[in-house]
Amino acid sequence: MLNVLDGLKNGLSKKLSVQALSALLLLSAAASAYSAPKTVLVLGDSLSAEYGLARGAGWVALAEQKLKAQKIDATVVNASVSGETTSGGRSRLPALLQKYKPALVVIELGANDGLRGLPVAAAETNLRAMADAAAKADARVMLIGMRMPPNYGRDYADKFFAMYGSLSKEIKAPLVPFMLDGVADKPQLFQPDRLHPLAEAHTTILANIWPVLQKSIKAK
């Protein structure tokens, strides 16, 4: 009888050991996944692609520096292209999602649609499609809005600006209403083309974006 009891104890002990080891491995894997740096994909136009600036002077690079300084574990991939429209971003996004598997997609697009006078509804459709693609790839979305100059007509400018607000509510995405707030009304902060901010303006641009970006990155 004692031999039988000893055998049962040994068998139970081995079973518990295997279960404990499995639990530890699962916990270790979960902890590793949680601690892995999040990838932030920035999909923008020339305002994010450092057009006319030295490399590392734009708001995206400044944001990456700030993340490191604050020890926020995130890797930033800047996939912005000068001249990009919402249509171009929509066509490029699936491959970028597959390649980088981001946790957060920051969409800074629409300015070139507006400057070309393209229909606001078309830009909204493209932005919505990008948000849908990101959601299917288990990535969250953050929107960065833009305003059109008054010479484009008040009706068009108002509809264009309002598009970002209504879409952000619809898709439940955090929004920076206007990235050039505090910059757009200061001609001295722009390059000779009067469209692209100088390097010193990008600290203000980052200040507009940072609170929403930081919160979006930290969100689970």
Side-chain angles (χ1 to χ4, degrees):
M1 179 62 73
L2 288 174
N3 289 337
V4 172
L5 289 174
D6 287 341
L8 288 172
K9 287 180 181 178
N10 289 335
L12 183 60
S13 177
K14 289 178 180 178
K15 184 177 181 181
L16 288 173
S17 296
V18 171
Q19 289 176 338
L21 180 60
S22 298
L24 284 171
L25 288 172
L26 286 172
L27 285 172
S28 177
S32 176
Y34 183 79
S35 61
K38 295 180 179 179
T39 297
V40 178
L41 176 68
V42 179
L43 187 64
D45 50 37
S46 56
L47 295 173
S48 298
E50 299 185 326
Y51 178 88
L53 305 178
R55 298 305 88 179
W59 77 264
V60 179
L62 297 178
E64 189 167 19
Q65 293 170 22
K66 195 161 187 175
L67 288 169
K68 290 179 180 177
Q70 295 193 9
K71 294 182 171 53
I72 298 174
D73 205 8
T75 299
V76 180
V77 175
N78 192 354
S80 302
V81 174
S82 293
E84 187 74 288
T85 61
T86 57
S87 177
R90 178 179 179 177
S91 65
R92 287 199 302 125
L93 183 56
L96 292 169
L97 290 171
Q98 185 175 15
K99 181 177 181 178
Y100 296 108
K101 296 176 174 52
L104 176 67
V105 179
V106 179
I107 302 177
E108 180 275 297
L109 288 172
N112 287 309
D113 298 62
L115 291 174
R116 297 176 188 183
L118 300 178
V120 173
E124 185 174 5
T125 296
N126 289 328
L127 290 170
R128 186 182 294 108
M130 283 184 267
D132 289 343
K136 289 176 183 177
D138 294 322
R140 288 174 284 105
V141 166
M142 171 183 152
L143 293 176
I144 297 179
M146 179 55 62
R147 287 184 183 273
M148 284 294 101
N151 58 302
Y152 278 75
R154 183 168 182 176
D155 183 62
Y156 183 83
D158 287 348
K159 287 179 180 177
F160 181 86
F161 179 68
M163 167 190 70
Y164 292 98
S166 61
L167 184 60
S168 72
K169 291 177 182 177
E170 176 191 326
I171 65 177
K172 296 179 174 59
L175 168 70
V176 176
F178 183 37
M179 68 183 294
L180 297 182
D181 191 24
V183 174
D185 59 345
K186 296 179 174 63
Q188 69 274 21
L189 291 178
F190 283 82
Q191 298 177 39
D193 63 10
R194 298 184 181 182
L195 290 174
H196 299 94
L198 294 167
E200 51 262 42
H202 279 258
T203 55
T204 300
I205 293 172
L206 177 60
N208 294 331
I209 294 171
W210 178 255
V212 180
L213 178 62
Q214 182 185 38
K215 187 175 181 180
S216 299
I217 292 173
K218 289 184 176 181
K220 294 181 181 179

